[in-house]
Amino acid sequence: MSDPPSARAPVLIVGGSIVGASAALFLAVRGVDCVLVEKHPAVSTRLRAKLFYPRTMEAYRSVGADQDVYAVQHRLPPADHAAVVDSLTGPESRRWPLPAAADFSAVSPSPSALVKQADLEEVVRAHARAAGADLRFGHRLLGLRRREDDVLARIRGGDGTTYTVAADYLLAADGNGSAVRESLGIGRSGAEAISQVMEIGFEADLRRVLRGRRLALAFTGPPERAFLSWSTAQDRGTVSVTYDPALTDPAMFDARRCRGIVSRALGLPPSRFTLTGHRPWQMGGWVADSYRAGRVFLLGDAVHVTPPTGGFGANTGIQDAWNLTAKLVSVLRGHAGPRHLDDYEAERRPVGRMTVEQALLRARVRDPADGGPLLSEAAVAIGYRYPMGHEDPATGGLPVADEPCRWRGEPGTRLPHVLLSGRDGTGSTLDLVRDGRHLLLAGPEGHPWMRAAHRLDPHGTFLDAVLLPGRTGSPPAAAFGIGDHGALLVRPDHVVAWRAADAAPDAFAALAGAVRRALGAGRPAAQ
C-alpha cells in the first residue's frame, strides 16, 4: 500500500503533461522535492506536438533524459518533411524539409527530436520518478489559498478522498483553460480565436500509404485545405479543416461528413480507415497578462497559446519550466534571494509574446508588415535573448532573437556551444553547466577570475569555475565575446548572466557584484 499523500512540499505542480512533467524532472534531479497532481489518470493519446528543438533537448541532456528520447525516435520510420498533396495517396505538388529537422550541429550538441508528445512524456515521467518526484495521476486540484509564506492547495485523490498540500511555491501547468489562471483573475492579450477547426481522428495503416516517404505532415489544396498529421508510428492520425461557425454548425460534422473528409484527404475508401471521433477547437494566439501571482507561477499553455505553425508551443512551455526551475533551485538551496524569481516573468513573457507573434505570422493571419519580420525557426526556438536589467552597454539595441550562430556570449543569450575534447570524449561547453549551479568560464589567461571564484565560493556549492585551455585546437575565447583575460558568468539554464570582455582591476569585486545581481542579492559578497 502506498504512503499517504504528504502534507507539505517545497513545490507543488498542477498539470502533468509535458510542461509539468518536465518541471518535476528538472527539480527532482537537482534534489528539490516536488509533488505533481494531474487530473487525468494517464498520458493523453491525442496527437499533439511531435517536434522538439535543440534548445529543448539540451535541457533534457542536462538531466540525462535525452538519449532515451532519441532511442524512441530511432525505432520509428524517418519523417522530417512536409508536403502539399492532392491526397495522401495522390501526387505531391510541393515538398519541403521541416526546419526543426535541420542540421544544428554547428550551434548545438543536441539534434532535434521528432517524437510524439505522448512518447516524450513517458520518458520524462520515468526519469522524474527515478529522481524522486512524487507524481500523482488522477488527482485533481479543487482550490487553492495563497498565504504569506506558502500556498495551501486542496486536492481530490483518485479514490475520491480530499487532502491538502502546503507548498512553498505552486507551478500551474494546467493548460490553456487553466483553472489556476482563471481563479487568480489573470487576463489574456492577443487573438482568442483566429479560426475554428474541426479535428477528425482516424486509425489506418499509413505505412502502406506513405510508402517510405519521409513525411511528418501534409496539407491538401482547395476546397477543403485540410491539414493532415499522424502518429510517429504511422498507425493513426487526424484530419483538421477550418469552418465558419456562422455558416456551419459543428453538429453538422456527423459521421458521414467526417468519413468523406478523411476519405478525400487520405485518398482511401472508408473501408481502409476507422474514425475515432472528432472535436472542434479554436486556433488562437495569446499571452497571459501576468506569469505570476505571489508564490503561484504559470507556465506552458496556461500563459501562452500559439497556432501549431512552427511547432513552437510545447518547446516554449518546456523552456518556461527550464527557466523557472533553475531559479527555484537557487532560491530553495538558499543561494539566491526571493527577488531572483521576479526575473521569470520579465524574461519569459517577452519570449512568449515573440513566439506567439511568429506563429501567427506563419499562420498568415495578419500582414507580416504589421507584425514585424518573419524570423527563422532557429532564431525563434534557439536564438532568443532575455532582457537583462544589468546589461553591459554592448548589448544595447540587440534584437529579442537572432540566428543562434550570430551570438557571442552577450548577456541574456544562451552560452555558445563549442566542442570540447576530454578523457570522456567530445562534449560541449553547455555540459560545463552542472547540477543547478552557476558557471564562471574564464579565458586561458583568466587566472584572477578563477581565484575570485574560489574565494567567493570555496566549496563550490553554487559556482563552478572553468579556465578555457590555451592550447591549439581549443575553443577560442573570442567565441564567447571575451579576450584571453575575460570571463563569463553562466546561469544553470545555460544563459549568460554577465560578461567581462577583459581583465578587471579588481576581479573579486567585479565577480561578486555580478553574482549578487544574478542571484537576487541573496549571497554575501565574500566568505
Side-chain angles (χ1 to χ4, degrees):
M1 187 171 180
S2 60
D3 293 333
S6 61
R8 184 163 194 90
V11 180
L12 173 64
I13 302 168
V14 179
S17 190
I18 190 57
V19 174
S22 295
L25 170 60
F26 299 152
L27 290 168
V29 82
R30 289 166 177 153
V32 174
D33 292 335
C34 59
V35 173
L36 180 150
V37 295
E38 164 57 49
K39 63 184 179 182
H40 295 109
V43 173
S44 172
T45 58
R46 189 169 66 83
L47 292 182
R48 296 166 289 162
K50 58 180 179 180
L51 305 174
F52 298 94
Y53 284 93
R55 193 158 178 170
T56 291
M57 295 309 299
E58 290 165 5
Y60 293 136
R61 175 186 176 102
S62 291
V63 294
D66 62 322
Q67 291 305 310
D68 285 346
V69 179
Y70 293 132
V72 172
Q73 177 177 316
H74 294 156
R75 295 195 295 267
L76 300 168
D80 49 16
H81 283 68
V84 176
V85 300
D86 288 352
S87 71
L88 203 55
T89 57
E92 300 176 8
S93 59
R94 189 161 68 94
R95 181 194 285 211
W96 62 96
L98 295 174
D103 180 3
F104 291 106
S105 59
V107 297
S108 176
S110 303
S112 294
L114 282 72
V115 298
K116 70 176 185 286
Q117 184 173 322
D119 287 342
L120 178 62
E121 287 178 6
E122 292 283 9
V123 171
V124 170
R125 290 171 178 178
H127 278 263
R129 285 193 182 96
D134 183 352
L135 308 184
R136 304 177 184 177
F137 293 92
H139 290 234
R140 179 186 293 267
L141 176 72
L142 299 177
L144 62 89
R145 181 155 58 96
R146 292 186 291 139
R147 304 188 293 193
E148 182 178 353
D149 296 325
D150 62 12
V151 179
L152 189 65
R154 190 163 60 92
I155 299 164
R156 184 172 64 229
D159 59 359
T161 60
T162 61
Y163 61 95
T164 60
V165 173
D168 295 329
Y169 300 98
L170 185 146
L171 311 189
D174 53 342
N176 58 12
S178 173
V180 174
R181 185 193 65 239
E182 294 300 309
S183 73
L184 296 171
I186 295 175
R188 299 175 286 186
S189 300
E192 292 287 337
I194 60 176
S195 63
Q196 303 289 330
V197 180
M198 184 62 69
E199 178 183 283
I200 307 167
F202 67 87
E203 291 180 349
D205 182 1
L206 294 181
R207 293 198 186 206
R208 294 173 60 189
V209 174
L210 293 168
R211 304 185 305 277
R213 290 179 291 168
R214 303 176 66 109
L215 294 182
L217 50 93
F219 305 84
T220 66
E224 283 177 323
R225 299 186 183 277
F227 170 63
L228 292 80
S229 182
W230 48 88
S231 72
T232 48
Q234 299 179 354
D235 57 357
R236 61 190 182 89
T238 60
V239 177
S240 298
V241 293
T242 60
Y243 68 96
D244 184 347
L247 302 175
T248 304
D249 190 313
M252 296 173 67
F253 286 87
D254 57 12
R256 180 178 179 181
R257 184 171 186 173
C258 289
R259 268 195 301 270
I261 292 171
V262 173
S263 181
R264 289 188 293 275
L266 297 180
L268 295 175
S271 61
R272 294 275 301 276
F273 62 85
T274 302
L275 295 182
T276 58
H278 62 281
R279 70 179 188 100
W281 61 280
Q282 292 185 149
M283 183 186 297
W286 52 261
V287 180
D289 296 337
S290 177
Y291 278 38
R292 178 186 184 183
R295 291 176 174 268
V296 179
F297 295 84
L298 307 174
L299 57 167
D301 285 354
V303 281
H304 46 70
V305 165
T306 69
T309 45
F312 301 132
N315 288 276
T316 308
I318 294 165
Q319 290 299 317
D320 291 341
W322 181 235
N323 177 296
L324 177 57
T325 57
K327 292 174 169 55
L328 284 169
V329 168
S330 292
V331 170
L332 291 169
R333 286 178 175 175
H335 300 149
R339 285 190 296 167
H340 189 41
L341 300 174
D342 295 344
D343 292 337
Y344 169 63
E345 178 171 338
E347 293 173 0
R348 290 304 301 170
R349 192 166 185 273
V351 171
R353 191 166 53 241
M354 177 272 295
T355 304
V356 168
E357 183 62 38
Q358 288 294 313
L360 287 170
L361 288 172
R362 283 162 171 77
R364 298 179 180 231
V365 297
R366 49 174 77 174
D367 184 351
D370 178 57
L374 185 68
L375 304 175
S376 74
E377 283 78 0
V380 176
I382 308 173
Y384 55 82
R385 182 179 73 94
Y386 292 144
M388 307 293 282
H390 46 274
E391 294 176 328
D392 62 40
T395 63
L398 290 178
V400 67
D402 203 348
E403 297 301 316
C405 61
R406 294 178 185 166
W407 293 123
R408 292 290 184 272
E410 293 85 351
T413 67
R414 166 180 152 277
L415 175 68
H417 155 66
V418 178
L419 288 175
L420 298 173
S421 297
R423 289 177 299 176
D424 299 329
T426 301
S428 168
T429 45
L430 297 174
D431 298 331
L432 300 174
V433 184
R434 302 176 301 167
D435 191 37
R437 295 190 295 272
H438 284 63
L439 168 71
L440 175 77
L441 185 63
E445 300 300 326
H447 300 284
W449 296 115
M450 299 293 288
R451 290 192 291 270
H454 292 309
R455 178 182 169 192
L456 189 64
D457 185 19
H459 303 296
T461 57
F462 76 96
L463 180 65
D464 292 327
V466 174
L467 193 73
L468 287 169
R471 60 181 181 274
T472 302
S474 299
F480 311 100
I482 60 175
D484 287 352
H485 295 83
L488 296 175
L489 180 65
V490 186
R491 305 187 326 195
D493 60 354
H494 298 154
V495 173
V496 177
W498 165 85
R499 179 176 65 177
D502 213 328
D506 187 338
F508 177 77
L511 180 60
V515 167
R516 283 198 302 272
R517 291 189 297 271
L519 293 175
R523 186 100 185 159
Q527 298 294 315

